[in-house]
Amino acid sequence: DATRSPSLPGISAAYGGGRGSISVVPETNRGCPYGCTFCDWGQATMSRIRQFSIDRVFAELEWIAARGISEVFLADSNFGIYARDVDIARHIADLKERYGAPQQVICSFAKNTVKYTTEIVRIWVEAGICAEGSVALQTTDPVTLQNVERSNIKVEKYDALAEEFRRHRLPIVTDLLMGLPGATVESFKADLQRCLDQDVTPRMMETVLLPNSPMNDPAYRERFRIELDGSNILVSTSSYTREDFEEMKRLRLLFRSFEHFGLMRHLFRWLQHERGIRALDLIHEIDRAIAEEAPR
């Protein structure tokens, strides 16, 4: 607890109130136990998690709730990895009962275990707290997972967490990184198809080369022939070309239009169940048809 709290009196004394639609981002611990090559979170903390004292965490949450702040976005990399996270979830529920806030909690749940998340979700549902579960899936492609040193994270844990949220009729989102070393157009389609089949909303983002990440090691970059654009976004590797990456971006745009905004959501499911046509294959065909009709 050497780092001073940004939420407790003395630092946030200038906060003048403003109840309602406001989000505050506390953290109950800092660090990540994983060493994925695209990320510098685990590397920066030597793959350790350092917990803030439970008294500090409870005091921060009390400060937030007492001011009627409606949304808490827990900044932990793996909330639900410790048994005490159940106590933190229960404390948030108690605050909701006393103050009427927070009304929503957003967090990134533990990636390799659902041991405590079931109880956490149950507590929040019973307290009337709207929870959004976020899982950093990134990809399900086994080759890519191995290339980015993420193969130690079990994909089936995501499925178990998604099922728990579906059971409680709560939304769940997942992060997908486009263009990781090993990715292809087909692997990206497979990731999107899995999200559609699981009824999980994907947040699809380009992969940015972070200065302190293992991916920025010259030997790693050379091994996977990583090419960047002017914003340090990966646009080509040994597994996909720049043209492939542009194709992935078009598929992302079409997926958002057809699935997120509901333009073909029901039709996709009918075609899959009644005709055996995968939604992503249809999206891909639409993309190709558009490309063929585009002026040269």
Side-chain angles (χ1 to χ4, degrees):
D1 285 356
T3 304
R4 296 181 66 191
S5 168
S7 300
L8 298 180
I11 294 179
S12 299
Y15 176 76
R19 304 175 69 87
S21 183
I22 300 173
S23 179
V24 174
V25 187
E27 56 183 347
T28 75
N29 61 60
R30 183 171 296 175
C32 181
Y34 305 110
C36 308
T37 64
F38 54 82
C39 181
D40 62 3
W41 201 342
Q43 300 295 321
T45 59
M46 304 294 288
S47 296
R48 291 179 55 192
I49 298 180
R50 296 168 175 84
Q51 300 180 61
F52 293 112
S53 72
I54 199 70
D55 291 339
R56 166 180 164 153
V57 172
F58 281 7
E60 285 187 343
L61 292 171
E62 179 102 21
W63 187 94
I64 291 167
R67 283 154 182 79
I69 295 172
S70 61
E71 183 178 278
V72 170
F73 196 129
L74 294 175
D76 302 22
S77 63
N78 291 271
F79 187 70
I81 198 171
Y82 295 118
R84 78 168 197 164
D85 292 345
V86 177
D87 297 327
I88 294 170
R90 189 173 292 112
H91 183 68
I92 293 173
D94 292 341
L95 293 172
K96 168 68 162 36
E97 183 177 0
R98 284 191 281 139
Y99 296 105
Q103 297 169 6
Q104 181 175 15
V105 178
I106 300 173
C107 64
S108 181
F109 280 112
K111 299 170 183 63
N112 242 351
T113 179
V114 291
K115 183 177 181 180
Y116 302 116
T117 51
T118 298
E119 180 66 8
I120 290 170
V121 171
R122 184 193 64 78
I123 289 169
W124 285 342
V125 167
E126 291 182 355
I129 294 172
C130 179
E132 179 184 84
S134 174
V135 288
L137 185 60
Q138 316 305 5
T139 183
T140 61
D141 180 61
V143 173
T144 307
L145 290 172
Q146 184 173 356
N147 290 348
V148 299
E149 298 182 14
R150 198 179 173 84
S151 56
N152 60 325
I153 298 176
K154 299 178 177 62
V155 174
E156 58 266 25
K157 298 299 181 182
Y158 297 112
D159 297 339
L161 182 60
E163 179 58 33
E164 185 63 23
F165 269 73
R166 275 195 298 271
R167 193 165 67 87
H168 291 288
R169 300 182 182 276
L170 293 173
I172 185 166
V173 298
T174 189
D175 296 329
L176 293 180
L177 279 179
M178 300 168 54
L180 290 168
T184 63
V185 173
E186 289 302 316
S187 72
F188 182 57
K189 284 173 56 181
D191 286 337
L192 292 180
Q193 184 67 49
R194 183 186 181 89
C195 289
L196 187 144
D197 292 341
Q198 296 271 337
D199 203 21
V200 172
T201 301
R203 292 184 296 218
M204 301 163 279
M205 299 162 286
E206 295 96 343
T207 302
V208 177
L209 187 71
L210 301 177
N212 296 319
S213 66
M215 189 175 285
N216 198 32
D217 181 86
Y220 188 97
R221 293 178 62 171
E222 181 178 359
R223 175 187 173 193
F224 292 106
R225 302 202 302 273
I226 292 175
E227 296 182 14
L228 309 172
D229 69 3
S231 301
N232 271 9
I233 293 172
L234 274 68
V235 293
S236 177
T237 72
S238 56
S239 63
Y240 65 90
T241 65
R242 288 175 180 262
E243 291 75 20
D244 292 336
F245 188 67
E246 290 301 315
E247 191 171 1
M248 293 183 213
K249 290 184 355 184
R250 294 197 305 271
L251 292 175
R252 174 180 63 174
L253 178 61
L254 290 172
F255 186 91
R256 283 175 171 166
S257 300
F258 295 151
E259 176 67 11
H260 286 191
F261 298 125
L263 297 181
M264 295 181 66
R265 181 178 176 86
H266 297 297
L267 179 60
F268 281 159
R269 282 148 183 79
W270 184 85
L271 288 172
Q272 286 196 172
H273 290 297
E274 299 297 327
R275 294 292 185 266
I277 301 173
R278 292 198 326 160
L280 264 297
D281 291 337
L282 178 57
I283 291 175
H284 206 181
E285 287 300 317
I286 293 173
D287 176 62
R288 289 168 177 155
I290 293 172
E292 289 176 0
E293 294 183 8
R296 302 289 180 180

Coordinates of all heavy atoms in Angstrom, one line a residue, residues 147-185:
N147 N 2.4 -19.2 -30.0 CA 3.3 -18.1 -30.5 C 3.4 -17.0 -29.5 O 4.5 -16.3 -29.4 CB 2.9 -17.6 -31.9 CG 3.2 -18.6 -33.0 OD1 3.9 -19.6 -32.8 ND2 2.6 -18.4 -34.1
V148 N 2.3 -16.7 -28.9 CA 2.3 -15.5 -28.0 C 2.4 -15.9 -26.5 O 2.1 -15.2 -25.6 CB 1.0 -14.6 -28.2 CG1 0.9 -14.1 -29.6 CG2 -0.3 -15.4 -27.8
E149 N 2.8 -17.2 -26.3 CA 3.0 -17.8 -25.0 C 1.8 -17.6 -24.1 O 1.8 -17.2 -22.9 CB 4.2 -17.1 -24.3 CG 5.5 -17.4 -25.1 CD 6.7 -16.8 -24.5 OE1 6.7 -16.4 -23.3 OE2 7.8 -16.7 -25.2
R150 N 0.6 -18.0 -24.7 CA -0.6 -18.0 -23.9 C -1.3 -19.3 -23.9 O -2.4 -19.4 -23.5 CB -1.5 -16.9 -24.6 CG -2.7 -16.4 -23.8 CD -3.5 -15.4 -24.5 NE -4.7 -15.0 -23.8 CZ -4.8 -14.1 -22.9 NH1 -3.7 -13.4 -22.5 NH2 -5.9 -13.8 -22.3
S151 N -0.6 -20.4 -24.3 CA -1.2 -21.7 -24.4 C -1.5 -22.3 -23.0 O -2.2 -23.3 -22.9 CB -0.3 -22.6 -25.2 OG 1.0 -22.7 -24.7
N152 N -0.9 -21.6 -22.0 CA -1.2 -22.1 -20.6 C -2.5 -21.7 -20.1 O -2.9 -22.2 -19.0 CB -0.1 -21.7 -19.6 CG 0.0 -20.1 -19.5 OD1 -0.2 -19.4 -20.5 ND2 0.3 -19.6 -18.4
I153 N -3.3 -20.9 -20.8 CA -4.6 -20.4 -20.4 C -5.6 -21.3 -21.1 O -5.6 -21.4 -22.3 CB -4.8 -19.0 -20.7 CG1 -3.8 -18.1 -20.0 CG2 -6.2 -18.5 -20.4 CD1 -3.9 -16.6 -20.3
K154 N -6.5 -22.0 -20.3 CA -7.4 -23.0 -20.8 C -8.7 -22.3 -21.4 O -9.4 -21.6 -20.7 CB -7.8 -24.0 -19.7 CG -6.6 -24.7 -19.2 CD -7.0 -25.7 -18.1 CE -5.8 -26.5 -17.6 NZ -4.7 -25.7 -17.0
V155 N -8.9 -22.5 -22.7 CA -10.0 -21.9 -23.3 C -11.4 -22.4 -22.7 O -12.3 -21.6 -22.7 CB -10.0 -22.2 -24.8 CG1 -11.3 -21.7 -25.5 CG2 -8.8 -21.6 -25.5
E156 N -11.4 -23.6 -22.2 CA -12.7 -24.1 -21.7 C -13.1 -23.3 -20.5 O -14.3 -23.4 -20.1 CB -12.6 -25.6 -21.4 CG -11.5 -26.0 -20.4 CD -10.2 -26.4 -21.1 OE1 -10.0 -26.0 -22.2 OE2 -9.4 -27.1 -20.5
K157 N -12.2 -22.6 -19.8 CA -12.6 -21.8 -18.6 C -13.4 -20.7 -19.1 O -14.3 -20.2 -18.4 CB -11.3 -21.3 -17.9 CG -10.4 -22.4 -17.3 CD -11.2 -23.2 -16.3 CE -10.3 -24.3 -15.7 NZ -11.0 -25.2 -14.7
Y158 N -13.2 -20.1 -20.3 CA -14.0 -19.1 -20.8 C -15.4 -19.6 -21.0 O -16.4 -18.9 -20.8 CB -13.5 -18.6 -22.2 CG -12.1 -17.9 -22.1 CD1 -11.0 -18.6 -22.7 CD2 -11.9 -16.7 -21.5 CE1 -9.7 -18.0 -22.6 CE2 -10.7 -16.1 -21.4 CZ -9.6 -16.8 -22.0 OH -8.3 -16.2 -21.9
D159 N -15.5 -20.8 -21.6 CA -16.8 -21.4 -21.8 C -17.6 -21.5 -20.5 O -18.8 -21.3 -20.5 CB -16.7 -22.7 -22.5 CG -16.0 -22.6 -23.9 OD1 -16.0 -21.5 -24.5 OD2 -15.5 -23.6 -24.4
A160 N -17.0 -22.0 -19.5 CA -17.7 -22.1 -18.2 C -18.1 -20.8 -17.6 O -19.2 -20.7 -17.1 CB -16.7 -22.8 -17.2
L161 N -17.3 -19.8 -17.8 CA -17.7 -18.5 -17.3 C -18.9 -17.9 -18.2 O -19.8 -17.3 -17.6 CB -16.5 -17.5 -17.4 CG -16.8 -16.1 -16.8 CD1 -17.2 -16.1 -15.4 CD2 -15.5 -15.2 -17.0
A162 N -18.8 -18.1 -19.5 CA -19.9 -17.6 -20.3 C -21.2 -18.3 -20.0 O -22.2 -17.7 -20.0 CB -19.5 -17.9 -21.8
E163 N -21.1 -19.6 -19.7 CA -22.3 -20.3 -19.3 C -22.9 -19.8 -18.0 O -24.1 -19.7 -17.9 CB -22.0 -21.8 -19.2 CG -23.2 -22.7 -18.8 CD -24.3 -22.6 -19.8 OE1 -24.1 -22.4 -21.0 OE2 -25.5 -22.7 -19.3
E164 N -22.1 -19.4 -17.1 CA -22.5 -18.9 -15.8 C -23.3 -17.6 -16.0 O -24.3 -17.3 -15.4 CB -21.4 -18.7 -14.8 CG -21.8 -18.2 -13.5 CD -22.6 -19.3 -12.7 OE1 -22.6 -20.5 -13.1 OE2 -23.3 -18.9 -11.8
F165 N -22.7 -16.7 -16.9 CA -23.4 -15.4 -17.2 C -24.7 -15.6 -17.9 O -25.7 -14.9 -17.7 CB -22.4 -14.5 -17.9 CG -21.6 -13.7 -17.0 CD1 -20.6 -14.2 -16.3 CD2 -21.9 -12.3 -16.9 CE1 -19.8 -13.4 -15.4 CE2 -21.1 -11.5 -16.0 CZ -20.1 -12.1 -15.3
R166 N -24.7 -16.6 -18.9 CA -25.9 -16.8 -19.6 C -27.0 -17.3 -18.6 O -28.2 -17.0 -18.8 CB -25.7 -17.9 -20.7 CG -25.2 -17.3 -22.0 CD -25.3 -18.3 -23.1 NE -24.5 -19.5 -22.9 CZ -23.3 -19.6 -23.2 NH1 -22.6 -18.7 -23.8 NH2 -22.6 -20.8 -23.0
R167 N -26.6 -18.1 -17.7 CA -27.6 -18.7 -16.7 C -28.3 -17.6 -16.0 O -29.5 -17.7 -15.6 CB -26.9 -19.7 -15.8 CG -27.8 -20.5 -15.0 CD -27.1 -21.7 -14.3 NE -26.1 -21.2 -13.3 CZ -26.4 -21.0 -12.1 NH1 -27.7 -21.2 -11.6 NH2 -25.5 -20.7 -11.2
H168 N -27.6 -16.5 -15.7 CA -28.1 -15.4 -14.9 C -28.6 -14.3 -15.9 O -28.9 -13.2 -15.4 CB -27.0 -14.8 -14.0 CG -26.7 -15.7 -12.8 ND1 -27.6 -16.0 -11.8 CD2 -25.6 -16.5 -12.6 CE1 -27.1 -16.8 -10.9 NE2 -25.9 -17.2 -11.4
R169 N -28.6 -14.5 -17.2 CA -29.0 -13.5 -18.2 C -28.3 -12.2 -18.1 O -28.8 -11.1 -18.1 CB -30.6 -13.3 -18.0 CG -31.4 -14.5 -18.2 CD -32.9 -14.2 -18.1 NE -33.7 -15.4 -18.2 CZ -34.1 -15.9 -19.3 NH1 -33.7 -15.3 -20.5 NH2 -34.9 -17.0 -19.4
L170 N -27.0 -12.3 -17.9 CA -26.1 -11.2 -17.8 C -25.2 -11.1 -19.1 O -24.9 -12.2 -19.7 CB -25.2 -11.3 -16.6 CG -25.9 -11.2 -15.3 CD1 -24.9 -11.5 -14.1 CD2 -26.5 -9.8 -15.1
P171 N -24.8 -9.9 -19.5 CA -24.0 -9.8 -20.7 C -22.5 -10.2 -20.4 O -22.0 -10.0 -19.3 CB -24.1 -8.3 -21.0 CG -24.3 -7.7 -19.7 CD -25.2 -8.6 -18.9
I172 N -21.9 -10.8 -21.4 CA -20.5 -11.1 -21.3 C -19.8 -10.7 -22.6 O -20.3 -10.9 -23.7 CB -20.2 -12.6 -20.9 CG1 -18.7 -12.8 -20.7 CG2 -20.8 -13.5 -22.0 CD1 -18.5 -14.2 -20.0
V173 N -18.6 -10.1 -22.4 CA -17.9 -9.7 -23.6 C -16.5 -10.3 -23.6 O -16.0 -10.7 -22.5 CB -17.7 -8.1 -23.7 CG1 -19.1 -7.5 -23.8 CG2 -17.0 -7.6 -22.4
T174 N -15.8 -10.4 -24.7 CA -14.5 -10.9 -24.8 C -13.7 -10.0 -25.7 O -14.2 -9.4 -26.6 CB -14.5 -12.3 -25.2 OG1 -13.2 -12.9 -25.1 CG2 -14.9 -12.5 -26.7
D175 N -12.4 -10.0 -25.4 CA -11.4 -9.2 -26.2 C -10.8 -10.1 -27.2 O -10.3 -11.2 -26.9 CB -10.3 -8.6 -25.4 CG -10.9 -7.6 -24.4 OD1 -11.9 -6.9 -24.7 OD2 -10.3 -7.4 -23.3
L176 N -10.8 -9.7 -28.5 CA -10.1 -10.4 -29.6 C -9.0 -9.5 -30.1 O -9.3 -8.4 -30.5 CB -11.1 -10.9 -30.7 CG -12.1 -11.9 -30.3 CD1 -12.9 -12.2 -31.6 CD2 -11.5 -13.2 -29.8
L177 N -7.8 -10.0 -30.2 CA -6.7 -9.2 -30.8 C -6.5 -9.7 -32.3 O -6.3 -10.9 -32.5 CB -5.4 -9.4 -30.1 CG -5.3 -8.5 -28.8 CD1 -4.0 -8.8 -28.1 CD2 -5.4 -7.0 -29.2
M178 N -6.6 -8.8 -33.2 CA -6.5 -9.1 -34.6 C -5.0 -9.0 -35.0 O -4.3 -8.1 -34.5 CB -7.2 -8.1 -35.5 CG -8.7 -8.1 -35.2 SD -9.5 -6.6 -36.0 CE -8.9 -6.8 -37.7
G179 N -4.5 -10.0 -35.8 CA -3.2 -9.9 -36.3 C -2.1 -10.4 -35.4 O -0.9 -9.9 -35.6
L180 N -2.3 -11.2 -34.4 CA -1.3 -11.8 -33.6 C -0.4 -12.7 -34.5 O -0.9 -13.3 -35.5 CB -1.8 -12.5 -32.4 CG -2.5 -11.7 -31.3 CD1 -3.3 -12.6 -30.4 CD2 -1.4 -10.9 -30.6
P181 N 0.8 -12.9 -34.2 CA 1.7 -13.8 -35.0 C 1.1 -15.2 -34.9 O 0.8 -15.8 -33.9 CB 3.0 -13.8 -34.2 CG 3.1 -12.4 -33.6 CD 1.6 -12.2 -33.2
G182 N 0.8 -15.8 -36.1 CA 0.2 -17.1 -36.2 C -1.3 -17.0 -36.7 O -1.8 -18.0 -37.2
A183 N -1.8 -15.8 -36.6 CA -3.2 -15.6 -37.1 C -3.3 -15.7 -38.6 O -2.4 -15.4 -39.3 CB -3.7 -14.2 -36.6
T184 N -4.5 -16.0 -39.1 CA -4.8 -16.0 -40.5 C -6.3 -15.5 -40.6 O -7.0 -15.3 -39.6 CB -4.8 -17.5 -41.1 OG1 -5.7 -18.3 -40.4 CG2 -3.4 -18.1 -40.9
V185 N -6.7 -15.3 -41.8 CA -8.1 -14.9 -42.0 C -9.0 -16.0 -41.5 O -10.0 -15.7 -40.9 CB -8.4 -14.6 -43.5 CG1 -9.9 -14.4 -43.8 CG2 -7.6 -13.5 -44.0

